[in-house]
Amino acid sequence: MTKGILIVGYGTRTGNLTDILESQAARLRARGRKNIYVSYFRISEPTIPDAIAKMAADGIDDVLAIPYYIAEGRMTLELIPEKLGIGHTSHGVADIGGRKVKVTVAPAFGRTRMLTNILTDRIAQAGGSKDTGILVIGHGSRDMHDSNREIVELNARRLGDMGYRHVAYGFNEFCGPEISDALASLAKETDEVIVTPLFIANGVHLGEEIAEKLGISNYSKGGKVDIGGKMICVKYMAPVEDDVRLLESIDAKVADFYGE
């Protein structure tokens, strides 16, 4: 069988997700990995069905799909497999234009400590200390099976276990606590807060919606914010993007797929 790799992202109208996925795909190719493709669930192109159709047309009949997602949920467990033609399962055989293609869907990044390490790098970049306020933010989900909340809570707890004294977490929507409430809680304890997004890429959510909830300018890196009459400094850090540790995670899955 001829194997191929399909990196799957959500899609974006205004953010840098496509640059991130193309960057990681280029790095894999530079390492000698062959048959590397990218695709998107919605908005961006190529779509998942178009990408796997191209793979089948190129003679690939054994596909490892790697979701470039923070956490497992309905998107990775059901919706992406559906678009790959294998129903609600992580392993199956799809009929792609009359060709039988074996498809395996890898897990999202999830509970790995590399996400925590990326957050600590962001804290270091911002000049933070164990006494600095740290706000870990996630998107949130109304899906009961989505582990986004669990992963955000887990990483906040890990930071606390490392000795950071003022750690909180909040969500953009669907889950509590809300970002504005979490920030207000930290403002009672410290006058500087580093905001570390557990998001894949920049876009409207981070650049506009969450910026407004933090009280800073759109698409900015932070600023002085009045929280209940107290001025605090908010430092707004980048999401995980194309961090090399995420590449290593992907490459490890590729190596396992190839039996290395």
Side-chain angles (χ1 to χ4, degrees), residues 35-168:
N35 300 329
I36 305 296
Y37 297 74
V38 299
S39 67
Y40 303 91
F41 180 77
R42 63 187 297 268
I43 302 172
S44 303
E45 295 181 343
T47 65
I48 295 170
D50 287 347
I52 197 168
K54 177 68 165 60
M55 296 177 82
D58 289 345
I60 296 167
D61 54 6
D62 191 1
V63 173
L64 175 65
I66 303 178
Y68 206 87
Y69 283 70
I70 294 291
E72 293 284 272
R74 185 165 179 255
M75 183 66 64
T76 59
L77 300 175
E78 297 180 6
L79 300 181
I80 289 173
E82 275 183 1
K83 287 186 177 288
L84 290 166
I86 58 171
H88 296 174
T89 181
S90 60
H91 303 272
V93 177
D95 186 332
I96 309 296
R99 302 170 187 260
K100 297 298 183 183
V101 178
K102 181 181 177 182
V103 178
T104 302
V105 182
F109 296 121
R111 299 176 63 87
T112 174
R113 288 200 72 91
M114 68 183 173
L115 291 177
T116 315
N117 293 337
I118 293 172
L119 297 186
T120 58
D121 279 3
R122 298 291 187 264
I123 294 168
Q125 290 164 9
S129 72
K130 296 297 173 63
D131 290 317
T132 306
I134 309 297
L135 177 54
V136 183
I137 59 173
H139 183 272
S141 174
R142 54 188 156 204
D143 175 12
M144 292 179 59
H145 303 293
D146 195 309
S147 61
N148 181 264
R149 180 186 180 91
E150 174 196 349
I151 299 306
V152 171
E153 290 177 343
L154 172 65
N155 281 277
R157 186 165 62 250
R158 284 174 175 170
L159 292 175
D161 291 343
M162 290 177 184
Y164 291 94
R165 297 177 181 86
H166 310 289
V167 181

Side-chain angles (χ1 to χ4, degrees), residues 159-216:
L159 292 175
D161 291 343
M162 290 177 184
Y164 291 94
R165 297 177 181 86
H166 310 289
V167 181
Y169 60 87
F171 299 92
N172 185 41
E173 55 186 344
F174 306 128
C175 301
E178 295 183 1
I179 289 171
S180 56
D181 292 339
L183 181 63
S185 175
L186 286 172
K188 296 175 182 178
E189 304 172 358
T190 180
D191 56 7
E192 180 178 275
V193 175
I194 299 171
V195 181
T196 55
L198 266 178
F199 280 67
I200 291 295
N202 276 309
V204 171
H205 291 312
L206 287 179
E208 299 179 17
E209 295 171 6
I210 293 174
E212 181 179 354
K213 292 171 183 178
L214 293 170
I216 61 176

